Amino acid sequence: MHAKLFEAALGITDPWRVAGVDFDAAKKVLTISVDFVAGSRFEVSGVAGAHPAHDTVAKRYRHLNFFQHECYLEVRVPRVRLPDGGIRQVEPDWAGKLAGFTLLFEALILTLAREMPFAAVARVVGLSWHRVAAICKRYVALALAQADFSEVKRLAADETSRARGHDYITLVADADARRVLFVTEGRDAATIAAFAEDLKDHGGNALAIESISIDMSPAFIKGVTANLPNATITFDKFHVIAHASAAVDKMRRIEQRTDPSLKGLRWKLLRDRDALAPAAKADLDALVAQVATKRTARAWLYKEQLREILNRKQVNVVRDMLWQWTVNVMRSKVEPMKAVAKMIRKHLEGIVAWTRTRQTNGFLEAINGLFQAAKRKARGYASFSTIRTMVFLLAGKLDFGKLNQHAT
């Protein structure tokens, strides 16, 4: 009766059977012996028909815990003789993608790894960090190998820091499916070239890419122009406004040296006016009323004008208004904002493209936030391969169900 119970619980069917159960109370370990019915024949991948057992090898698989106790399957796995005389080992239906684990156990690891650092997962399941990482890396590699990028038309690319200092990784994502497609070290033009090769390897076509949203990095621009020649480059308005906001803050810091009344206004100047509390809104309005005498107030007005222009939808109107905006700024005495005006002139068409494509890196910024949060919880990652694995686990939307029906 016990054997039948465990066969039902484990999903073991003919020709497999539970041959015995051993529970070590002291070690809190349950071991289930699995055998096959004598005379059974087995199918193997890539060879037609069912084949007789030639001999057997003993295999041990870590399975899901039985209550709080570790559970292992000890299996007498047959090797079969093929028609051509070759010998092939049979893979049981429950065998995982990494030696020594069942599919159910690996599915548990993948689920936990999306929510907590590898070290925490290792403590929960009683494995080493390296074994947990190896399972996740294996699944990511296998799922990526069969991923299809043939329908990808619109992209977003951005960099994020992998460690303190100037150590970066570049992420390229499908802007429509909002999934990460590619992760590589660095943030130069070569990263886009490497993506174009990877896209081809996954059934995609660099010539079919219609648009890409990037920041104003000269390296990214060079890489896109050389490797994605038909892609319209879009600089989304949020990047542009971010530069303008930085210029407002720089102007405030400069002017505050001689005007103490500007102290305490930083966040009131940087946040959206509509999101401010009534008292903060009143303080901001009082500053803006002094636009004739305070350059910080003029810088804030320029930023708001820029936001209003980029909210419009007529391409020619936006182009003309942006150019006039840069003329007005260059004639002013708001020096930090002049750098923004020069940047807009240099990248005018890419910024105007936002009006037509409305393509943004916002979702990729959110993905970067998820990765940075995971990195903080893990107290950093020692290797790029671990970083790459975590990014794909968090945001790759990989189809693990094709590898493991329990990991959908």
Side-chain angles (χ1 to χ4, degrees):
M1 184 179 71
H2 289 162
K4 293 297 182 184
L5 175 63
F6 280 105
E7 285 174 5
L10 295 170
I12 289 176
T13 58
D14 287 337
W16 302 99
R17 64 184 182 84
V18 170
V21 178
D22 178 69
F23 177 59
D24 189 327
K27 295 182 178 179
K28 296 184 177 180
V29 173
L30 175 69
T31 303
I32 301 172
S33 299
V34 180
D35 203 342
F36 59 91
V37 177
S40 298
R41 300 174 73 90
F42 299 88
E43 295 180 355
V44 294
S45 176
V47 181
H51 314 283
H54 170 70
D55 59 13
T56 62
V57 292
K59 294 285 185 178
R60 184 176 171 88
Y61 300 91
R62 173 71 188 275
H63 191 55
L64 297 178
N65 282 7
F66 179 76
F67 292 99
Q68 72 271 31
H69 309 296
E70 292 185 6
C71 180
Y72 294 88
L73 306 184
E74 289 191 346
V75 186
R76 203 165 68 97
V77 179
R79 297 197 308 162
V80 298
R81 182 179 295 279
L82 303 179
D84 63 1
I87 303 297
R88 180 88 68 85
Q89 181 176 298
V90 172
E91 283 296 327
D93 294 339
W94 60 81
K97 301 303 177 183
L98 202 69
F101 303 101
T102 65
L103 289 171
L104 272 167
F105 186 81
E106 291 176 344
L108 172 66
I109 295 295
L110 291 173
T111 300
L112 294 176
R114 289 188 178 101
E115 305 297 332
M116 59 180 72
F118 290 165
V121 176
R123 289 192 296 270
V124 169
V125 300
L127 283 182
S128 70
W129 181 96
H130 298 284
R131 295 291 272 171
V132 170
I135 290 171
C136 294
K137 290 177 181 180
R138 177 68 170 160
Y139 270 82
V140 166
L142 290 174
L144 273 176
Q146 60 186 22
D148 180 11
F149 298 166
S150 61
E151 299 299 319
V152 175
K153 303 296 182 185
R154 304 198 312 147
L155 300 171
D158 201 5
E159 77 273 358
T160 188
S161 64
R162 57 169 289 185
R164 290 184 179 179
H166 301 286
D167 199 359
Y168 292 89
I169 60 173
T170 292
L171 280 62
V172 183
D174 183 339
D176 295 315
R178 301 203 167 193
R179 57 169 176 157
V180 172
L181 304 176
F182 184 70
V183 183
T184 189
E185 295 181 276
R187 55 172 180 172
D188 54 12
T191 62
I192 305 299
F195 165 73
E197 284 297 316
D198 188 73
L199 180 69
K200 180 181 178 181
D201 293 340
H202 288 87
N205 184 353
L207 299 178
I209 301 301
E210 299 171 355
S211 63
I212 182 169
S213 176
I214 58 176
D215 62 21
M216 297 176 193
S217 159
F220 276 178
I221 296 170
K222 178 181 177 181
V224 170
T225 302
N227 298 283
L228 306 173
N230 296 330
T232 298
I233 295 176
T234 297
F235 305 122
D236 73 55
K237 77 167 187 176
F238 303 104
H239 274 114
V240 180
I241 298 301
H243 283 284
S245 294
V248 172
D249 192 49
K250 186 174 182 179
M251 187 69 256
R252 177 196 59 80
R253 285 186 279 111
I254 293 171
E255 198 169 22
Q256 185 177 289
R257 296 170 188 167
T258 56
D259 187 349
S261 68
L262 294 173
K263 290 183 178 180
L265 290 176
R266 181 185 183 193
W267 296 112
K268 298 170 187 177
L269 287 163
L270 296 181
R271 293 184 63 187
D272 289 344
R273 182 181 178 279
D274 293 340
L276 295 175
K281 193 178 294 185
D283 290 342
L284 178 61
D285 291 344
L287 171 66
V288 174
Q290 303 175 66
V291 65
T293 58
K294 294 190 185 294
R295 295 178 186 178
T296 301
R298 293 201 292 279
W300 184 86
L301 286 175
Y302 283 136
K303 181 194 71 170
E304 293 304 305
Q305 289 169 4
L306 188 58
R307 190 195 304 275
E308 182 181 345
I309 292 170
L310 292 175
N311 280 336
R312 294 176 175 268
K313 297 181 179 180
Q314 301 89 347
V315 173
N316 292 333
V317 171
V318 170
R319 182 184 291 107
D320 292 344
M321 292 184 72
L322 278 176
W323 188 262
Q324 186 59 51
W325 182 90
T326 65
V327 171
N328 296 341
V329 169
M330 295 305 293
R331 290 174 178 172
S332 74
K333 295 183 179 180
V334 185
E335 296 300 326
M337 198 62 74
K338 290 182 179 181
V340 180
K342 291 176 183 177
M343 177 194 73
I344 289 175
R345 287 183 173 182
K346 183 177 180 180
H347 302 293
L348 182 63
E349 291 308 314
I351 297 171
V352 171
W354 150 263
T355 305
R356 183 176 67 259
T357 67
R358 280 304 197 258
Q359 195 168 326
T360 174
N361 274 18
F363 78 95
L364 202 48
E365 297 285 352
I367 289 172
N368 286 345
L370 288 174
F371 166 70
Q372 293 298 334
K375 185 179 73 174
R376 287 192 295 272
K377 285 195 291 185
R379 298 183 181 180
Y381 296 117
S383 69
F384 169 70
S385 64
T386 303
I387 292 172
R388 181 174 178 271
T389 298
M390 279 308 307
V391 171
F392 278 114
L393 283 176
L394 292 170
K397 295 185 179 180
L398 296 174
D399 187 1
F400 294 129
K402 292 180 179 179
L403 306 169
N404 183 341
Q405 67 268 31
H406 308 293
T408 52

